[in-house]
Amino acid sequence: MDLMVNGQTHSVNAAPDTPLLYVLRNDLQLNAAKFGCGLGQCGACTVIADGKPVLSCVTPVALFEGRKITTVEGLGTEDSPAPIQQAFIEEQAAQCGYCIAGMIMRAQALLAQDNNPSDSAIRTALQSNLCRCGTHMRILKAVRRAANLMQRASAKGAI
């Protein structure tokens, strides 16, 4: 089957019921999304499909044929991070980093829908992603900072 991941089409040979996470990590070497609980309860595996956050550890790959999948690797680069990545760096929102890819993807999906979310909207959007390190306040600040960065870039016509 063909998958559109981060703007590129990849032909993969996987059983239809294989979790998308396994295909991303094992076949495409896109390792940002993490295997956390394996039950869709921690959010470490979150990617974006057609603009919506998806738990890739429990969702069969067959459901993604013809859909646009975005992982953290598709947002920006080390030299040119996306606003959400830049904001997480500047706010030092990552401690161990295990949950961060999922947090970033869920926040990115939120900001694509609402470029000026309230703290309540951010908390609601991220509540299904767990962080055991206690960086919750820095994560909130990072999402607010990303919203500001994206608004400024949009005003300049860069996004």
Side-chain angles (χ1 to χ4, degrees):
M1 78 185 65
D2 290 336
L3 296 178
M4 174 69 83
V5 182
N6 299 332
Q8 295 183 340
T9 301
H10 301 271
S11 292
V12 297
N13 186 14
D17 61 345
T18 303
L20 174 63
L21 179 66
Y22 295 8
V23 173
L24 293 173
R25 293 182 62 84
N26 300 336
D27 297 335
L28 304 180
Q29 282 71 54
L30 297 169
N31 296 313
K34 302 290 187 271
F35 184 91
C37 66
L39 301 170
Q41 296 178 353
C42 74
C45 66
T46 304
V47 299
I48 296 174
D50 293 337
K52 297 188 176 171
V54 173
L55 299 168
S56 66
C57 74
V58 292
T59 310
V61 69
L63 298 179
F64 294 95
E65 191 159 20
R67 298 175 66 189
K68 291 174 60 176
I69 302 164
T70 306
T71 68
V72 166
E73 292 93 338
L75 296 179
T77 65
E78 189 172 331
D79 294 331
S80 181
I84 189 73
Q85 294 167 309
Q86 186 65 43
F88 270 71
I89 293 167
E90 291 173 357
E91 294 296 339
Q92 298 182 8
Q95 190 160 338
C96 84
Y98 205 81
C99 70
I100 292 303
M103 292 279 189
I104 286 174
M105 297 313 289
R106 194 163 297 272
Q108 178 69 24
L110 169 67
L111 295 174
Q113 298 293 317
D114 180 359
N115 70 355
N116 190 21
S118 65
D119 283 356
S120 175
I122 296 168
R123 289 174 194 266
T124 298
L126 296 180
Q127 72 182 5
S128 60
N129 288 59
L130 303 178
C131 172
R132 302 274 186 228
C133 298
T135 59
H136 302 90
M137 296 312 293
R138 287 187 269 166
I139 291 169
L140 280 173
K141 287 177 70 177
V143 177
R144 280 189 236 118
R145 180 184 286 256
N148 289 335
L149 290 171
M150 293 169 82
Q151 289 167 12
R152 280 190 266 152
S154 179
K156 291 179 183 175
I159 292 181

